Amino acid sequence: AKSLFSAILSRRILLFLAAQQAQLSGSLLSRFVTQSVVAVQDRPSMMTAYAIVQGATNAVVGILGSAALVVSETALLIIFGITLLWINPIVTLAAIAYLTLTGLGSYKVLGNWSERVGTVSAQTTVRGNTEVQDIISTFREISVLGRTGLYVNRITSLLVLGSRAQADGAFISQI
């Protein structure tokens, strides 16, 4: 029951954070494309690309998600551990053995999903960085032609896909 409750809570937290991350990245991108050509070309392009595509993900899903999950898991484990030790130390040892076997089994089962999630995450990061680099290198033309919205939409869809993969990856690691 603890594992099921924890998994459901973790999933909800991570999906919420993934949605917030995608929104933050989209907002950063929207603000970026409305700047002047001089301001855009004044910053290193890889720094801009990283901030928009990967930086927001690391900050929101990676750091905040991990912190929230560690706090909730630690609290639950301490409460259950103390209770089990107090009630019956033999049951505690049996629970540790059971949870170890369950963890190893879950790791084997979730391996393929984790691989797919990692592939999607890597592909969206590379594609997102490439798209941002395209915006930076052709910013003047894109601005003059009024095509910034097209690029924002295209990159935002990549960010949504990538943030979902990040949330799935964090969820898998928690299981």
Side-chain angles (χ1 to χ4, degrees):
K2 179 259 178 214
S3 295
L4 180 61
F5 176 76
S6 180
I8 291 169
L9 181 62
S10 297
R11 183 78 171 152
R12 291 182 59 100
I13 289 170
L14 291 169
L15 288 175
F16 171 78
L17 290 174
Q20 296 304 309
Q21 179 271 317
Q23 186 177 19
L24 174 63
S25 292
S27 175
L28 287 172
L29 183 62
S30 292
R31 280 191 248 150
F32 170 74
V33 298
T34 60
Q35 293 180 354
S36 69
V37 173
V38 173
V40 168
Q41 293 177 342
D42 191 40
R43 289 189 189 97
S45 60
M46 287 309 292
M47 182 185 296
T48 302
Y50 180 81
I52 292 171
V53 177
Q54 193 63 33
T57 299
N58 290 342
V60 176
V61 175
I63 295 170
L64 291 178
S66 295
L69 296 174
V70 165
V71 168
S72 68
E73 284 294 317
T74 301
L76 286 172
L77 286 174
I78 289 171
I79 291 168
F80 285 127
I82 290 171
T83 304
L84 281 175
L85 280 172
W86 182 66
I87 293 172
N88 191 338
I90 294 172
V91 172
T92 303
L93 295 175
I96 289 171
Y98 170 76
L99 293 173
T100 300
L101 291 174
T102 302
L104 293 173
S106 296
Y107 179 76
K108 263 191 172 230
V109 170
L110 296 173
N112 290 335
W113 185 21
S114 180
E115 184 178 335
R116 286 190 311 268
V117 166
T119 300
V120 169
S121 181
Q123 288 173 346
T124 56
T125 298
V126 169
R127 286 177 54 204
N129 285 337
T130 302
E131 292 287 337
V132 171
Q133 289 297 320
D134 287 346
I135 288 175
I136 292 169
S137 65
T138 60
F139 187 75
R140 193 178 303 257
E141 293 83 7
I142 292 169
S143 294
V144 169
L145 295 172
R147 300 194 62 150
T148 57
L150 173 70
Y151 280 88
V152 169
N153 289 339
R154 194 161 50 190
I155 294 172
T156 300
S157 68
L158 283 172
L159 293 169
V160 168
L161 184 62
S163 66
R164 177 66 186 232
Q166 291 289 328
D168 285 344
F171 177 69
I172 290 168
S173 71
Q174 292 305 309
I175 291 176

